[in-house]
Amino acid sequence: MNKNQSFSSCLNYAGWVNVSSRLVAIVLTAVFLLAAFYPQNLYGRCDEHAAVDAEQHVLLLNSYHKGLSWTDALTDAVFDVLAPLGVEITVEYMDTKRTPLSQSEDYLLPFLSARLEDTSFDTVIVSDNDALDFAKKYRSVLFPGTPIVFCGINYFTPDMIDDSGWFTGVMEVTDARGTFDVMQMMLPEMKRVTVISDGTPTGLAESRAARSVLSHELDQVEIRYIDNPETESLLAELAGLDPETDAVLLTVFNMDAKGRYFTYEESARLITEAAPCPVFGLWDFYLGAGVAGGRMASAADQGRVAANMAAAIVQGAHPQDLPIVTNSPNRTFFDAPALLRHSIHPSSLPEGSVVHNQNPAWIRLQQDGLDRDSKFSYEMFHGHGSVMMILDPEDGRILDINKAGAEFYGYPLEQMLTMNIMDFNILPAARVQMEIEQARQENVNRFRFKHRMASGEIRDVEVNSWPVHIQDTPVLFSIIQDVTSIISSQAQLEGILAERTETLKRRTRALVFILVTFVAAQGVAITLIVRYALRQNKLSSELKQANEKLERLNAEKDKLFSIISHDLKSPLSGLISSTKMLSSQLAVFSQDDIRYISSELHKNSKSTYALLEELLQWAQMSQGGIDYKPVPCSLSEMISIGINTVKSAAKDKDIVIRTDFPDDIAVMVDQSMVKTVLRNILSNAIKFSHQGGEVLIRARHSEGKITMAVKDNGIGMSEEVKSMLFTVNKAKQQLGTDGEKGTGLGLMFCKQFIEQHGEKLWVESEPGKGTTVFFTLPNG
């Protein structure tokens, strides 16, 4: 068999059209139609499906492009009839829907001439008007002496063919009046019909045909026409229709007034989604795209009749022996989901109607079973992207499943409607039945199962199942989520978290040991001071100062212990309990829970470490363990370093840090101390500033010194808080604007560091007006 070829808009190549088998019912329907249209035997034989000579060739020349539903359905029907007879079929596509024949004719002729010159055909089937016009015009060049069978021809007239006797075929006549009668019978409240057509030749012709049989009023129903509209204005007008008294008749809308192209399905979906009322059509390619139905021309019927005529010709009949079929084989077709959407009951359909896309909801409606329920949207159910199914709560039979569910499990939808949930749940049947009972009684609504796909693959799924009533019938409504990757990731996370938890425990124990050692050392130091003071039997001013210092140290120690008990014990207790909970109950936490707890553990660890660092620094200062080493240095460099240390915190709160000082200021300072001062003061300014706030750093020469000022526009402080800034006192501690915590020791360090330089540090602040920290430095 030679390699077949096809032709599209840009001279695209397409290979053999793959032929899939059809149901016996389709073949029987084709035979029935053929017998209805031709009482005599068209084949000239008793056996209509007797094999023909294997060398017989048929060309199918399509006006339009591959992928257009009308063309694809017609092509499939031709193959259904001719392929079983051993006929070799070549398919060509002229693509005139997107590129008009007037623009493509000049290159179509030489191209097809070259492609077909080495092949002779026993007959040529042409589909739709452009292919017939082209074949008539160039028959003597492309296929002289070859019979031509046409189909899908709108508004056929004898002048569309010549008088050579080589033409025959089947006419396609749309039935606007028949569709109107169907609409009126099914919609007794209908008061107005809107007819939609585009500005293409087909659209204009269909509009004229509809006007000729419907006029502007028929049987007290108003008929109005929308011709060649812009898409936006059309959809807006449709949205205003009444769902009870309006209906729409769609002829064709492949191109709007702005030249935008739509496939049949695209235009049907646009129109049916915009219109709140039922939409009817004249061709069966609209079924499945939201159109309810109508008295429709069928591409498959056109293709089958034409193919049967071609089969008769290749078996010896002459075209003149096969009269043109003028009675277009239209039938009454409907789409079940579209009928359900508009609550149209099966009993309202004309006798002999063919309903496509029947689903269990429609079948149950026919059988007076599960009806379309106002509390349950079948349209949402079938179109939703999540896996959904409806189960019999007694035995687990699948009463309905949506398209996403069939795709997930890998079975055809029709097959799944014959299955039971136990067919792919790997648990024992008794266990599955027990879980169904749990869901039916609403004791448990969420389950974790392992389900087997059609491929044999096992997937972890989470099933959420609830008992509901659809038209007073109890069912289980279930949503299934694939959690295989989540469970795999959770297992990996458990290992990582266990390792990090152990590390955190070790670090926590180390921190506690350091803290206890520090407190013990402080106690020993205080004890030694007391013993030393008791040994001194002097009443001098020196002893009095020692006692006062001792009392102050004791007071500060007591307050420090209070801070430690609250600010250190509390987070450490939280760390220990959190890590214990994670290590012993990890399975109950979701990924988001684990991520949140880990983040809180990290923040608590950081704050605990910062507290310990400041306590150690305070202890070192109070015991005189920090050396003062002033050196000449650049103030601007130290300020830049200080800004860099708080840049991340400022960015998190969208705070702008501005500076105002000469670049050439030099100071004689201990760099480590001054950097600590700048870091603490800037951190406080950011901590107590609102989102989007501002911090200003100023420096000026003043009386042989350098005066620094760090000003924020944050929450400020009261006189009571300000009076306790440089003491160890829990009451002075304030939370930052984002809940940031502190120890209250930072400014004490800053003041002592500045005083070690022989300079001053002071604070000005008012509630709600921000805070300014001033300090002086020695000029360098």
Side-chain angles (χ1 to χ4, degrees):
M1 190 176 288
N2 294 333
K3 187 176 183 181
N4 290 328
Q5 300 169 326
S6 63
F7 180 76
S8 62
S9 59
C10 298
L11 307 184
N12 294 327
Y13 173 81
W16 270 104
V17 178
N18 292 325
V19 181
S20 61
S21 60
R22 296 293 188 270
L23 296 174
V24 174
I26 296 179
V27 176
L28 293 176
T29 301
V31 174
F32 171 79
L33 285 174
L34 189 62
F37 296 131
Y38 309 110
Q40 69 274 29
N41 187 337
L42 298 181
Y43 294 87
R45 302 184 183 183
C46 294
D47 182 2
E48 292 185 336
H49 293 285
V52 298
D53 188 345
E55 298 300 319
Q56 300 292 341
H57 291 178
V58 170
L59 170 66
L60 172 58
L61 181 62
N62 286 308
S63 294
Y64 306 138
H65 54 280
K66 187 176 183 179
L68 191 70
S69 54
W70 169 272
T71 301
D72 289 350
L74 189 149
T75 301
D76 287 345
V78 169
F79 271 85
D80 285 342
V81 174
L82 295 181
L85 302 179
V87 175
E88 183 176 339
I89 308 167
T90 299
V91 184
E92 296 290 345
Y93 299 91
M94 296 171 61
D95 200 16
T96 60
K97 179 68 72 174
R98 296 180 294 196
T99 305
L101 183 60
S102 60
Q103 301 176 21
S104 59
E105 186 174 1
D106 289 343
Y107 61 74
L108 274 175
L109 178 61
F111 181 82
L112 288 176
S113 296
R115 299 242 307 177
L116 304 176
E117 64 178 353
D118 294 331
T119 307
S120 61
F121 299 100
D122 295 278
T123 189
V124 175
I125 300 174
V126 293
S127 72
D128 296 282
N129 292 58
D130 285 337
L132 176 60
D133 292 344
F134 188 79
K136 173 189 173 184
K137 189 173 182 178
Y138 299 111
R139 182 175 62 84
S140 61
V141 176
L142 294 175
F143 15 78
T146 303
I148 296 175
V149 179
F150 58 79
C151 58
I153 305 302
N154 300 106
Y155 312 108
F156 175 81
T157 58
D159 61 354
M160 291 182 178
I161 60 177
D162 57 32
D163 56 1
S164 63
W166 290 108
F167 287 86
T168 190
V170 54
M171 293 171 52
E172 176 201 341
V173 181
T174 56
D175 192 357
R177 175 56 193 263
T179 299
F180 173 85
D181 292 340
V182 169
M183 296 164 66
Q184 193 173 39
M185 181 184 73
M186 297 172 60
L187 307 173
E189 302 298 321
M190 185 176 71
K191 302 298 182 185
R192 181 172 60 175
V193 172
T194 300
V195 182
I196 301 172
S197 305
D198 64 16
T200 64
T202 301
L204 295 175
E206 289 299 331
S207 179
R208 287 193 298 269
R211 291 172 193 268
S212 68
V213 295
L214 302 180
S215 188
H216 291 282
E217 183 177 344
L218 184 61
D219 295 340
Q220 298 182 340
V221 176
E222 176 190 353
I223 314 294
R224 65 170 188 155
Y225 299 87
I226 301 179
D227 295 325
N228 194 28
E230 292 184 2
T231 303
E232 292 76 12
S233 62
L234 171 63
L235 300 183
E237 191 164 354
L238 292 175
L241 298 181
D242 189 300
E244 301 297 329
T245 60
D246 271 300
V248 173
L249 175 57
L250 171 61
T251 64
V252 289
F253 187 66
N254 291 128
M255 189 174 296
D256 74 354
K258 291 184 177 180
R260 286 177 289 190
Y261 172 78
F262 304 98
T263 66
Y264 296 121
E265 292 82 2
E266 288 171 342
S267 63
R269 289 191 182 96
L270 282 173
I271 290 168
T272 56
E273 288 173 5
C277 58
V279 178
F280 291 78
L282 302 178
W283 289 276
D284 67 344
F285 47 65
Y286 286 135
L287 300 174
V291 171
R295 187 70 182 169
M296 294 179 158
S298 165
D301 289 345
Q302 289 280 320
R304 275 192 290 269
V305 173
N308 278 315
M309 299 176 83
I313 292 173
V314 299
Q315 290 179 344
H318 192 278
Q320 289 180 326
D321 300 329
L322 306 174
I324 294 173
V325 179
T326 58
N327 185 18
S328 180
N330 298 344
R331 288 187 286 169
T332 308
F333 293 107
F334 292 101
D335 178 70
L339 295 175
L340 287 170
R341 177 187 174 193
H342 295 287
S343 302
I344 298 175
H345 198 274
S347 61
S348 66
L349 272 57
E351 185 177 354
S353 298
V354 177
V355 181
H356 287 267
N357 305 316
Q358 294 192 35
N359 52 31
W362 177 260
I363 295 170
R364 287 191 293 273
L365 192 60
Q366 285 181 305
Q367 299 171 349
D368 295 324
L370 297 180
D371 203 344
R372 179 178 176 85
D373 195 287
S374 60
K375 298 178 182 178
F376 188 86
S377 171
Y378 272 106
E379 183 178 3
M380 178 279 293
F381 175 80
H382 289 292
H384 204 285
S386 298
V387 177
M388 298 180 180
M389 64 173 64
I390 300 172
L391 302 177
D392 187 313
E394 298 298 329
D395 57 15
R397 285 183 299 111
I398 299 175
L399 301 177
D400 206 348
I401 186 168
N402 63 0
K403 181 180 178 183
E407 291 175 350
F408 173 69
Y409 287 103
Y411 293 96
L413 182 61
E414 295 78 8
Q415 182 179 351
M416 292 208 72
L417 296 175
T418 66
M419 298 176 70
N420 191 294
I421 191 69
M422 300 179 190
D423 292 336
F424 39 83
N425 194 322
I426 68 172
L427 288 176
R431 174 71 183 280
V432 177
Q433 188 63 49
M434 183 181 70
E435 303 294 8
I436 291 174
E437 183 63 21
Q438 292 274 20
R440 188 173 70 85
Q441 297 182 6
E442 293 193 84
N443 294 330
V444 182
N445 295 109
R446 178 177 295 180
F447 307 89
R448 282 281 178 91
F449 295 126
K450 289 185 180 294
H451 281 186
R452 181 180 288 106
M453 307 294 106
S455 64
E457 179 185 9
I458 303 297
R459 306 291 293 178
D460 291 288
V461 298
E462 183 172 274
V463 179
N464 294 272
S465 190
W466 304 271
V468 298
H469 281 75
I470 302 178
Q471 198 68 18
D472 298 326
T473 300
V475 297
L476 280 181
F477 174 68
S478 300
I479 299 176
I480 296 93
Q481 181 183 6
D482 185 358
V483 294
T484 306
S485 60
I486 296 175
I487 291 178
S488 176
S489 300
Q490 186 176 355
Q492 296 176 9
L493 183 61
E494 287 175 358
I496 295 172
L497 190 59
E499 179 182 347
R500 292 185 178 177
T501 300
E502 185 59 35
T503 301
L504 186 59
K505 286 181 180 178
R506 290 197 301 270
R507 291 180 178 176
T508 302
R509 287 194 291 267
L511 287 173
V512 172
F513 175 78
I514 293 172
L515 178 61
V516 171
T517 302
F518 163 72
V519 174
Q522 189 75 356
V524 171
I526 293 172
T527 301
L528 291 175
I529 292 172
V530 172
R531 288 179 179 177
Y532 175 79
L534 291 175
R535 290 192 190 103
Q536 308 304 314
N537 192 16
K538 298 180 182 179
L539 299 177
S540 62
S541 299
E542 181 178 352
L543 180 58
K544 184 179 180 180
Q545 291 174 357
N547 285 333
E548 290 176 351
K549 182 176 182 181
L550 180 60
E551 290 174 359
R552 185 172 67 253
L553 285 173
N554 274 324
E556 291 181 350
K557 174 182 71 64
D558 292 338
K559 294 175 181 177
L560 179 62
F561 285 170
S562 175
I563 293 173
I564 292 170
S565 67
H566 184 274
D567 288 349
L568 190 58
K569 182 179 178 181
S570 177
L572 285 175
S573 298
L575 287 171
I576 294 170
S577 62
S578 295
T579 53
K580 179 181 179 181
M581 180 170 58
L582 285 173
S583 62
S584 63
Q585 303 181 38
L586 184 62
V588 302
F589 293 106
S590 67
Q591 281 186 300
D592 288 341
D593 293 335
I594 294 171
R595 189 179 298 109
Y596 172 78
I597 293 172
S598 300
S599 174
E600 290 300 308
L601 288 174
H602 177 67
K603 287 197 296 185
N604 286 342
S605 298
K606 283 184 63 179
S607 63
T608 304
Y609 181 82
L611 172 60
L612 181 60
E613 188 177 44
E614 291 193 353
L615 290 173
L616 292 173
Q617 193 173 36
W618 179 85
Q620 191 176 11
M621 283 182 56
S622 64
Q623 297 176 21
I626 298 180
D627 294 331
Y628 169 63
K629 298 178 181 179
V631 295
C633 54
S634 168
L635 180 61
S636 64
E637 290 181 3
M638 286 192 294
I639 291 175
S640 296
I641 293 171
I643 291 173
N644 283 334
T645 62
V646 299
K647 184 181 294 183
S648 176
K651 183 178 180 182
D652 290 342
K653 297 178 73 170
D654 198 22
I655 292 173
V656 177
I657 300 178
R658 297 195 300 107
T659 59
D660 179 16
F661 57 86
D663 292 336
D664 57 351
I665 294 181
V667 291
M668 177 67 73
V669 296
D670 184 303
Q671 292 191 58
S672 177
M673 291 184 179
V674 174
K675 289 177 183 177
T676 300
V677 170
L678 284 169
R679 183 181 72 248
N680 271 281
I681 294 174
L682 286 172
S683 295
N684 283 344
I686 291 169
K687 182 190 303 181
F688 299 111
S689 291
H690 298 288
Q691 287 281 341
E694 180 180 278
V695 175
L696 173 63
I697 306 172
R698 287 200 307 263
R700 295 287 188 273
H701 291 282
S702 176
E703 300 178 355
K705 300 180 182 297
I706 304 300
T707 301
M708 296 283 298
V710 178
K711 176 178 173 59
D712 65 69
N713 56 359
I715 61 177
M717 65 186 80
S718 65
E719 287 296 325
E720 180 183 5
V721 173
K722 191 165 61 174
S723 67
M724 297 184 288
L725 283 178
F726 305 109
T727 63
V728 178
N729 196 314
K730 180 69 176 179
K732 74 180 180 183
Q733 298 181 28
Q734 296 186 97
L735 294 179
T737 56
D738 278 356
E740 303 98 324
K741 295 180 180 179
T743 64
L745 302 177
L747 275 180
M748 288 177 54
F749 301 156
C750 295
K751 189 171 187 298
Q752 292 183 30
F753 283 156
I754 294 301
E755 288 176 351
Q756 280 193 258
H757 287 76
E759 302 297 336
K760 298 179 180 179
L761 183 147
W762 68 100
V763 176
E764 294 179 1
S765 180
E766 289 184 41
K769 296 185 178 181
T771 299
T772 304
V773 180
F774 297 92
F775 60 94
T776 58
L777 295 174
N779 200 339

